[in-house]
Amino acid sequence: MSKTVAFHTIGCKLNYSETSTLSRTLEADGFVKKEFDEEADVYVINTCSVTENADKECRYIVRGIQRRAPQAMVVITGCYAQLKPQEIAQIQGVDLVLGAAEKFNLATHLKEITKGPADGGGAKICSCDIETVEGFHSSYSLSDRTRAFLKVQDGCDYNCSFCTIPLARGHSRSDSVQGVLNNMRELADSGIKEIVLTGINLGDFGKGNDGGKTHDTSFYELLQAVDSVEGIERIRISSIEPNLLTDEIISFVAQSKRVMPHFHIPLQSGSDKILGAMRRRYKRGLYEERVAAIKALMPHCCIGADVIVGFPGESDEDFKDTFDFLHGLDVSYLHVFTYSERTNTLAADMKPIVPMHVRHERNKVLRNLSYQKMQYFTAQHSGSRRKVLFEKAPRKDMMEGYTDNYIKVQIPYNSEFVNRVVEWGV
């Protein structure tokens, strides 16, 4: 009988796209896919390690598998597996740890591995120094017929003081423009209507798959190429650094019929002092300029921002600078992260440390601000009609979709609207 496999993903949209590709690879190799809460022969956990909570979640999930299916093979891959393979190998129930270079060789490893001892510590580790990781592995998610996350770039050369991503994923490297177009056409043929371009540092697209320092092409040129793919009605940019968001990109999105008026631009702090300590490549003035440039051409554009609270040295005054800056900035929502110390980062040794209860209080304040901003942004468009891509029904009686500028719309279920772009009132 065919072996069964179940997948679980922790972390970013890039991880989801890779998990989806790994799943399709194993299914093509004869495995039968199961839901993660079902009993399976193999469980694969694709991990994140941006915060300590992601590490804890991985350990918690493995314990759950042990209770549900103690004889199952457990494989850990992803960023946590690259950063701390020895630590993971000691987790009771884990049989195989695959680092960044071996993730996409999963099928081969599963043919060679056997279940380890029940008391842990016997996991096989297949990892290497991140400096030796080369090559780009394209991937995309297919969770439904409506939207797909397409990985076009991987790795990062920025080395921000709080971030483990360069240690977990290596140098910035990219797919070719032709490779991206081929994947998009496959997705179009499968009925996908919207593609979200994803990467670790998406605006750095164009460095060859060997992680070279020079760009063969640019993200702007990629946008020009993907804008003409027939069958794909919508393209979104998952996230782009403010220093890489050029005027030509903004102008192109403003006139494009397929690239949606929606940007997610990491800020991290509204304090120039903290931005410097984070080793970010811009000051808040540049961020403000980018937002103004977008709104000048696309007043209806939705803009999201990432913010980290509780970074070492962030005083009450620094946090007030961030709050006031964001309060006055024409952004639509915030993704707020509580700073978490990560091993082997410069920030891990920075002082003074912000108490955890203060970090949580600041997180709550900014999440409340985010809610208010999204309410205001939605109210600005109340009564207008915009194009909505409707998805499958979350419940039998209702369905939902997003406008081009990322406002959620819920309506009574209509089967004729599933996976269709419909003009609708906000």
Side-chain angles (χ1 to χ4, degrees), residues 42-45 73-77 81 85 88-89 91 93-99 102-103 105-116 122-127:
V42 180
Y43 292 88
V44 181
I45 306 173
M73 191 80 62
V74 178
V75 182
I76 311 295
T77 188
I88 297 171
I91 299 174
V94 172
D95 301 288
L96 178 61
V97 184
L98 296 180
E102 296 297 328
K103 181 188 305 181
N105 294 325
L106 173 61
T108 301
H109 287 292
L110 286 177
K111 294 174 183 176
E112 300 172 350
I113 194 75
T114 56
K115 181 70 183 172
K124 179 181 178 182
I125 298 174
C126 297
S127 188

Side-chain angles (χ1 to χ4, degrees), residues 331-386:
V331 295
S332 314
Y333 65 91
L334 312 173
H335 285 171
V336 187
F337 300 88
T338 300
Y339 172 73
S340 178
E341 286 81 358
R342 310 309 294 144
T343 305
N344 296 323
T345 61
L346 291 173
D349 297 320
M350 291 182 179
K351 300 289 189 293
I353 295 171
V354 178
M356 192 57 71
H357 74 276
V358 175
R359 302 184 205 182
H360 291 318
E361 288 169 5
R362 292 174 181 175
N363 185 299
K364 184 177 180 180
V365 169
L366 289 190
R367 281 189 288 113
N368 287 338
L369 177 62
S370 177
Y371 175 79
Q372 294 168 15
K373 282 188 165 290
M374 197 63 204
Q375 292 293 104
Y376 176 72
F377 179 71
T378 302
Q380 284 181 301
H381 298 277
S382 179
S384 66
R385 295 181 68 83
R386 303 202 70 87

Side-chain angles (χ1 to χ4, degrees), residues 12 70 127 196 228 261 287 322 402:
C12 64
S127 188
V196 184
S228 61
Y287 196 97
T322 294
Y402 284 88

Side-chain angles (χ1 to χ4, degrees), residues 365-425:
V365 169
L366 289 190
R367 281 189 288 113
N368 287 338
L369 177 62
S370 177
Y371 175 79
Q372 294 168 15
K373 282 188 165 290
M374 197 63 204
Q375 292 293 104
Y376 176 72
F377 179 71
T378 302
Q380 284 181 301
H381 298 277
S382 179
S384 66
R385 295 181 68 83
R386 303 202 70 87
K387 290 182 178 180
V388 180
L389 175 59
F390 284 104
E391 305 171 8
K392 293 178 181 178
R395 300 186 303 276
K396 288 184 178 180
D397 57 335
M398 297 293 289
M399 68 191 307
E400 65 182 33
Y402 284 88
T403 64
D404 55 345
N405 60 341
Y406 208 59
I407 296 172
K408 183 186 286 189
V409 174
Q410 286 191 320
I411 65 168
Y413 181 73
N414 183 335
S415 60
E416 295 182 0
F417 286 179
V418 173
N419 202 31
R420 280 187 55 202
V421 177
V422 181
E423 192 170 290
W424 200 265

Side-chain angles (χ1 to χ4, degrees), residues 132-144:
T132 66
V133 174
E134 292 185 352
F136 178 85
H137 296 275
S138 65
S139 57
Y140 55 76
S141 66
L142 274 178
S143 57
D144 58 50

Side-chain angles (χ1 to χ4, degrees), residues 10 18 21 30 49 51 56 71 78 109 122 131 177 193 218 228 256-257 266 272 289 316 353-354 384 404 425:
I10 304 171
E18 291 179 340
T21 295
S49 198
T51 68
K56 290 179 180 177
Q71 298 307 311
H109 287 292
E131 290 81 4
V177 171
K193 293 294 190 293
S218 69
S228 61
S256 170
K257 293 181 179 179
D272 281 341
E289 289 173 9
D316 290 342
I353 295 171
V354 178
S384 66
D404 55 345

Side-chain angles (χ1 to χ4, degrees), residues 14 121 205 237 362:
L14 195 67
F205 175 88
I237 301 168
R362 292 174 181 175

